[in-house]
Amino acid sequence: TNQDAQKSQDLSSENVITLSNNLGHSQYPKIVIDEPYLYTLWMDDTQGNRDIYFKRSEDNGTSFGETINLSHNPGVSLNPVMTTSQITSDLYVVWVHIPRINGEVFFTTSTVHGENFGSPITIGNNTGLNGFPQVAVSENNANVYVVWHDAQNGTMLRRSTDSGSTFETPIKLGSKNVDSQNRQIAISQDNNIYVAWQSNPQ
């Protein structure tokens, strides 16, 4: 109907905010809501390196604060993901960094609704690609889980039982494969952990 078309037109043009406006490439945005906070994350190469940038809103997306560079590393930082805890409202961010022939998985936490972040820690490091990370948090006990692809070992999982301050020894879930990707992780209300991924051995 004409009324539905008008609503669609209003939605497409209303409240558009430019989060990144520069001479480089801003790509692969992510968004998470923890009302009234709204968090955005993306990859940007304006400074010559590919870094992970972050912005937050304190008013459900009406306005946004300053841009924060979370990675600040030479080389390539990519595949950013994030999630929040409904228990603590902590914000957890994970990404991959590729310096030369090594692959690293970085993790950082904000305990103040994205106002600032702790120093990133490396939870995965090896020769070859680390990629396609996912992060999830248990709503029963605030345990944090990160899963990713490790070129030397396959699908790996690490758990933190102290809200991301430290991580236990990695657990190998799947064998090494040249084309293993697109991991997903979910946690049930009774704290069962489920991981799925794509594997193409041929």
Side-chain angles (χ1 to χ4, degrees), residues 99-120:
R100 301 190 181 96
I101 63 171
N102 294 326
E104 299 171 318
V105 178
F106 278 98
F107 174 93
T108 187
T109 304
S110 174
T111 60
V112 286
H113 301 287
E115 184 176 352
N116 53 57
F117 288 82
S119 297

Side-chain angles (χ1 to χ4, degrees), residues 151-162:
Q152 293 183 325
N153 297 292
T155 297
M156 305 297 291
L157 173 74
R158 290 194 79 171
R159 178 179 72 167
S160 170
T161 59
D162 54 12

Side-chain angles (χ1 to χ4, degrees), residues 157-176:
L157 173 74
R158 290 194 79 171
R159 178 179 72 167
S160 170
T161 59
D162 54 12
S163 299
S165 295
T166 61
F167 280 82
E168 297 174 348
T169 302
I171 299 172
K172 183 177 178 180
L173 301 183
S175 60
K176 176 182 176 181

